[in-house]
Amino acid sequence: MAGGAQTGQAETGKRYDVFHTDCPARDVVDHVTSRWGIWVLISLRSKGLRFYELRESIQGISEKMLAQTLRALVQDGLVWREVEPTTPPQVTYGLTEFGRDVGEPLTELFDRITRRLSPHSAG
């Protein structure tokens, strides 16, 4: 698993300067808050999903964008990826402990927003 910003902070005990352009935590925040990053984390909140299940759960995402988003989140250490050696390979994704920790407030935010929406404004 790639540690990314999580490992650096845990090892040094320092806080990152997220306002500095070279801050590694800034990249993680960009990936999490990207157009599709939030939806991937929310979709994986309760269980691991195979690629096609994830694609079906997030309406409007292309295969290419899902692959790019997953690649970034795996690299950041938020999502794990498991490949079963079948033909074709079956790939499953899920949240790491770091991913669950980051995704929890996003899920709460999503739940708060949906509770506030009136039924006629829901999609």
Side-chain angles (χ1 to χ4, degrees):
M1 169 176 68
Q6 175 194 19
T7 305
Q9 184 169 350
E11 291 173 358
T12 63
K14 70 177 181 104
R15 297 198 52 86
Y16 287 103
D17 180 6
V18 295
F19 295 104
H20 193 279
T21 56
D22 293 337
C23 178
R26 195 170 178 161
D27 289 335
V28 176
V29 170
D30 286 345
H31 296 152
V32 168
T33 60
S34 70
R35 178 171 182 191
W36 301 111
I38 291 172
W39 302 118
V40 168
L41 293 175
I42 290 173
S43 293
L44 292 173
R45 71 183 175 261
S46 57
K47 64 178 180 175
L49 294 173
R50 295 195 21 214
F51 184 89
Y52 79 90
E53 293 172 319
L54 199 46
R55 190 183 71 228
E56 289 177 0
S57 74
I58 305 171
Q59 292 186 3
I61 193 168
S62 69
E63 222 171 274
K64 178 183 175 184
M65 286 309 305
L66 179 57
Q68 287 177 357
T69 302
L70 285 167
R71 194 175 306 116
L73 295 174
V74 167
Q75 185 177 1
D76 292 338
L78 296 163
V79 171
W80 54 260
R81 178 181 189 266
E82 181 179 82
V83 180
E84 296 178 42
T86 58
T87 305
Q90 294 180 5
V91 183
T92 305
Y93 296 89
L95 295 180
T96 63
E97 183 180 341
F98 183 34
R100 285 190 301 277
D101 193 37
V102 169
E104 187 177 325
L106 297 175
T107 299
E108 289 176 20
L109 175 65
F110 176 75
D111 290 344
R112 287 178 187 202
I113 290 169
T114 56
R115 279 195 306 269
R116 293 285 189 153
L117 291 176
S118 61
H120 66 277
S121 65

